[in-house]
Amino acid sequence: MYTQALSLEKQQNTSQEDPERLSRFQARIDAEERIEPTDWMPAAYRQTLVRQISQHAHSEIIGMQPEGNWLTRAPSLKRKLQLTAKIQDEAGHGLYLYGAAETLGVSREELVGQLLSGKAKYSSIFNYPTLSWADIGAIGWLVDGAAIMNQIPICRCSYGPYARAMVLICKEESFHQRQGYETMMALARGTPEQKDMAQDALNRWWWPSVMMFGPPDKDSVHSEQAMRWKIKRFTNDELRQKFVDATVPQAKYLSLEIPDPELAWNEATQHWDIGPIDWDEFWRVVKGDGPCNRQRLAAKRAAHEDGAWVREAAEAFAAKRAARRTVPIAAE
Ligand SMILES: [Fe+2]
Ligand SMILES: [Fe+2]
């Protein structure tokens, strides 16, 4: 029913929506009211959320792969347990977010189908390979760290189900960031070889992490409207700056060097200035030409096919339980 309603709304252009209704909607947003699934909302608001929440869900799911690469090679039982728990958390985040997207009238099959066909995007950072154990530390520290910067403001997103999902997710991301930093600390304070490994991981993950906040504000097509709707609370560049400011002292504490010769403290702005970002690389990876794009999708497709029997069994079990519930008590 929801899906039908959505496709009907998709046919409408926002400009055809009643201006009265649109301004009432904006007034609710301005008053910091939460929008809930059964409330009226502009078609473009719904579409923006479906796109953002599903991209976020896909990122959580694909993000399990680079880390899964090290599960069987974690250096100790403690590290293996931590990594297993973290990867399970990410799966949970994905499911939570698919659930939030479904409240907007789109089915999970459709969303997963978009991921498998390559139509949907996910965070480009997961198209980079994990070449050493230190990469697991760097991902927790930098990638989960960047994710937290992005996601804490979403706890105040105008759309209720997304905002509420984000509260739990942020708590877990914060644990991920700490385990990553602690892994980096163990390496940075270990043997010279371990410290080199940590530095090499930082060298490779720094710029992709800085790019996680998306294109600069001047080129960001969705930003302005998303800010007005309070889906976004800070611009890409503002979030990037917060991340850089928080991370530079953390690198110093590890005695590791951020791979940016132009990194400098700016006394006037009280922020760290960074050198130019290679946006060509960013767009190349977004468009499918990163080091691991094909590998990630192929692995996801294979896992989806391999899991077909699990979905069938779960459906058969659910149908059996439902049938049992409909049997009148007297007949049992
Ligand atoms: Fe996550
Ligand atoms: Fe995480």
Side-chain angles (χ1 to χ4, degrees):
M1 183 189 75
Y2 269 132
T3 317
Q4 226 173 10
L6 178 65
S7 52
L8 274 178
E9 279 208 60
K10 267 183 188 163
Q11 292 162 15
Q12 286 179 350
N13 189 319
T14 312
S15 60
Q16 291 170 336
E17 281 167 344
D18 179 8
E20 269 292 294
R21 229 173 179 191
L22 281 171
S23 74
R24 271 204 306 275
F25 177 80
Q26 189 61 47
R28 287 190 64 194
I29 302 266
D30 294 343
E32 299 286 334
E33 275 182 43
R34 280 272 159 85
I35 307 301
E36 297 297 338
T38 49
D39 295 344
W40 183 85
M41 63 188 84
Y45 176 84
R46 189 187 295 273
Q47 281 157 23
T48 300
L49 279 166
V50 168
R51 193 191 64 247
Q52 186 176 327
I53 300 174
S54 60
Q55 278 182 8
H56 191 164
H58 301 327
S59 303
E60 302 280 0
I61 298 296
I62 297 288
M64 292 192 284
Q65 290 187 36
E67 299 192 300
N69 187 32
W70 282 90
L71 261 184
T72 55
R73 292 174 289 164
S76 68
L77 180 60
K78 179 182 123 181
R79 296 295 182 198
K80 190 192 280 256
L81 285 171
Q82 279 178 351
L83 188 58
T84 308
K86 178 182 192 284
I87 295 172
Q88 284 177 338
D89 286 351
E90 306 300 8
H93 298 172
L95 298 183
Y96 231 69
L97 288 162
Y98 283 128
E102 281 177 298
T103 66
L104 290 155
V106 59
S107 71
R108 187 169 311 200
E109 288 72 22
E110 192 179 336
L111 297 174
V112 173
Q114 287 168 356
L115 174 63
L116 297 176
S117 72
K119 192 180 154 213
K121 297 268 180 280
Y122 55 84
S123 183
S124 274
I125 191 99
F126 301 120
N127 290 317
Y128 290 85
T130 40
L131 304 178
S132 80
W133 168 253
D135 289 24
I136 298 304
I139 288 181
W141 172 33
L142 301 171
V143 178
D144 290 87
I148 294 171
M149 280 301 168
N150 247 324
Q151 291 169 14
I152 283 188
I154 307 177
C155 296
R156 294 187 294 125
C157 164
S158 59
Y159 188 59
Y162 193 24
R164 289 188 289 272
M166 215 47 61
V167 175
L168 171 94
I169 289 176
C170 281
K171 285 190 179 147
E172 293 183 344
E173 298 301 3
S174 156
F175 160 75
H176 299 167
Q177 196 269 353
R178 282 175 221 186
Q179 71 81 29
Y181 192 70
E182 200 265 330
T183 299
M184 287 302 268
M185 191 135 63
L187 293 170
R189 295 185 177 170
T191 63
E193 288 81 3
Q194 285 175 317
K195 190 171 179 192
D196 287 349
M197 228 165 88
Q199 181 63 56
D200 173 61
L202 173 57
N203 292 348
R204 284 179 292 106
W205 289 93
W206 171 253
W207 287 110
S209 301
V210 168
M211 291 181 207
M212 273 178 77
F213 298 91
D217 295 347
K218 61 179 173 51
D219 302 329
S220 178
V221 279
H222 302 298
S223 251
E224 213 180 302
Q225 182 61 68
M227 297 273 288
R228 214 164 336 164
W229 278 331
K230 298 192 178 169
I231 294 172
K232 250 178 116 98
R233 297 273 176 171
F234 297 97
T235 69
N236 294 354
D237 288 337
E238 285 168 346
L239 291 166
R240 190 173 359 257
Q241 187 66 59
K242 278 172 184 277
F243 170 74
V244 170
D245 290 347
T247 311
V248 171
Q250 293 170 353
K252 283 194 192 300
Y253 188 74
L254 293 173
S255 304
L256 295 179
E257 206 162 317
I258 289 189
D260 178 358
E262 292 181 43
L263 184 75
W265 175 251
N266 185 327
E267 204 45 59
T269 60
Q270 295 285 300
H271 290 295
W272 286 93
D273 289 339
I274 59 170
I277 296 171
D278 182 355
W279 291 113
D280 290 342
E281 175 183 327
F282 174 78
W283 290 116
R284 216 168 34 243
V285 183
V286 168
K287 288 181 181 145
D289 234 355
C292 301
N293 295 55
R294 275 166 278 273
Q295 187 186 328
R296 299 289 182 242
L297 265 191
K300 177 63 200 159
R301 285 189 194 119
H304 190 76
E305 279 161 30
D306 288 349
W309 70 271
V310 180
R311 291 189 295 279
E312 281 161 27
E315 270 172 29
F317 181 66
K320 212 163 133 186
R321 282 185 68 169
R324 210 176 284 157
R325 268 199 301 271
T326 56
V327 174
I329 291 167
E332 276 190 67

